[in-house]
Amino acid sequence: MSESPILVTGGAGFIGSNLVDVLVARGHPVRVLDNLSTGKRSNLPVDAGVELIEGDVADAQTVRRAVQGCRAVVHLAAVASVQASVDDPLGTHQSNLVGTLNLCEAMREAGVCRVVFASSAAVYGNNGEGQSIDEDTSKAPLTPYAADKLASEHYLDFYRRQHGLEPVVFRFFNIYGPRQDPSSPYSGVISIFTERAQQGLPITVFGDGEQTRDFLYVGDLVEVLLQALEHPTVEVGAVNVGLSHATSLNELLTAIGDVLGKLPPVNYQQARGGDIRHSRANNERLLQRFRLPEPVTDIRTGLARLLGVSGS
């Protein structure tokens, strides 16, 4: 096994720290670049030899230092919030697009080729409404977050063609699991709902609750990311990462109630502008190129693990 580290940008965050845990457990040296704006030192394994560089992907010099000597990169660092990008397009642009460009340049200079990139289903906007979305579905980014993710994909493909980078681009649908911070107003719907349910606080749903999402447990995602790091060759083209299964928010609430044995009052409010009504991945390309765990984690099992309920 190579002694050169794998760099995980955003490695102290929700997805990144779950990935770091598994990399360490499998004997890989790991370097983390994180500005700790939402990530936490406490998310990283203690005494595991993980090198933490506290810094921002928007700072080119810091990114160069982080990339030096690495054998591959998983680029997860981003302001992972649609609403934050609407509120502060310029600020989020620095992390979500300039950060990707800084990483591409640093990799080119250092001769590092393999990069696994977290893009988003948000690049499709409302296209594919009511049907499964494949990778050729027309792109219609509705927010600065989505526009930056799509632009990052194009930059990565340019560096592939021009400089030999090996980007594996994953369009994440709705990832959930432990360490997703429910205290942020920009957090994922599952972490917000479960936190409030555990505390017995009313849950707010924007819209009628019949909007659907394709939820994937973070542990299943990590297995796919690991395969992308180790695969000997990289095929061109972004890959949807989801289960191709639509779950409505009302069904999600029912599942949370089943796992906890109770559910607080649910308040329905007017839908928010820019929210996507239906989102479900066509994951045929994913299944052709990579393997999902067998069995995949169903929503109730994933919720039980997230909530720490016995029997999960």
Side-chain angles (χ1 to χ4, degrees), residues 253-307:
L253 288 166
T254 298
I256 293 171
D258 290 346
V259 171
L260 287 177
K262 60 181 180 179
L263 193 69
V266 178
N267 301 320
Y268 292 87
Q269 296 187 8
Q270 185 174 356
R272 295 177 296 192
D275 279 357
I276 294 168
R277 178 72 174 166
H278 296 293
S279 177
R280 177 167 65 93
N282 177 321
N283 66 358
E284 290 181 9
R285 183 178 291 179
L286 173 69
L287 298 179
Q288 288 168 0
R289 299 184 183 182
F290 304 97
R291 299 180 311 280
L292 284 170
E294 294 182 3
V296 295
T297 305
D298 65 80
I299 191 73
R300 280 175 172 75
T301 301
L303 286 170
R305 290 175 184 168
L306 172 61
L307 292 164

Side-chain angles (χ1 to χ4, degrees), residues 49-72:
V50 175
E51 178 188 358
L52 172 63
I53 297 176
E54 187 175 345
D56 200 307
V57 290
D59 183 77
Q61 186 173 350
T62 300
V63 175
R64 285 192 198 98
R65 179 162 63 95
V67 168
Q68 282 296 327
C70 289
R71 69 179 182 90

Side-chain angles (χ1 to χ4, degrees), residues 99-300:
T100 300
L101 186 53
N102 284 339
L103 181 66
C104 289
E105 271 295 283
M107 291 180 65
R108 178 187 65 80
E109 293 172 2
V112 180
C113 293
R114 182 66 55 89
V115 55
V116 181
F117 174 62
S119 187
S120 170
V123 302
Y124 300 113
N126 276 316
N127 286 342
E129 180 80 14
Q131 61 190 19
S132 126
I133 299 166
D134 67 25
E135 291 82 1
D136 294 325
T137 297
S138 297
K139 314 307 175 289
L142 300 176
T143 61
Y145 170 82
D148 283 340
K149 286 295 187 182
L150 186 57
S152 292
E153 291 188 20
H154 289 304
Y155 270 112
L156 284 160
D157 193 57
F158 164 76
Y159 276 82
R160 176 191 66 81
R161 290 179 280 109
Q162 193 73 16
H163 300 296
L165 255 63
E166 298 175 351
V168 183
V169 174
F170 287 129
R171 292 178 183 148
F172 295 172
F173 278 65
N174 291 80
I175 313 302
Y176 74 100
R179 301 181 190 150
Q180 199 169 24
D181 184 4
S183 65
S184 168
Y186 306 133
S187 193
V189 66
I190 284 184
S191 61
I192 294 172
F193 284 4
T194 53
E195 175 79 359
R196 295 189 70 82
Q198 282 182 304
Q199 296 179 2
L201 298 173
I203 293 172
T204 297
V205 174
F206 294 99
D208 60 6
E210 289 304 303
Q211 59 266 50
T212 60
R213 296 293 182 265
D214 192 340
F215 294 109
L216 178 70
Y217 185 70
V218 67
D220 294 351
L221 169 66
V222 164
E223 292 301 320
V224 174
L225 298 177
L226 291 168
Q227 292 170 52
L229 280 170
E230 300 298 337
H231 206 280
T233 59
V234 170
E235 295 184 66
V236 176
V239 178
N240 288 337
V241 181
L243 292 182
S244 195
H245 178 79
T247 300
S248 74
L249 297 192
N250 288 330
E251 290 171 332
L252 171 63
L253 288 166
T254 298
I256 293 171
D258 290 346
V259 171
L260 287 177
K262 60 181 180 179
L263 193 69
V266 178
N267 301 320
Y268 292 87
Q269 296 187 8
Q270 185 174 356
R272 295 177 296 192
D275 279 357
I276 294 168
R277 178 72 174 166
H278 296 293
S279 177
R280 177 167 65 93
N282 177 321
N283 66 358
E284 290 181 9
R285 183 178 291 179
L286 173 69
L287 298 179
Q288 288 168 0
R289 299 184 183 182
F290 304 97
R291 299 180 311 280
L292 284 170
E294 294 182 3
V296 295
T297 305
D298 65 80
I299 191 73
R300 280 175 172 75

Side-chain angles (χ1 to χ4, degrees), residues 6-11 16 19-20 23 30-34 73-74 76:
I6 293 169
L7 172 64
V8 183
T9 73
L19 172 62
V20 168
L23 286 170
V30 178
R31 180 181 296 161
V32 167
L33 173 61
D34 201 302
V73 179
V74 182
L76 303 171

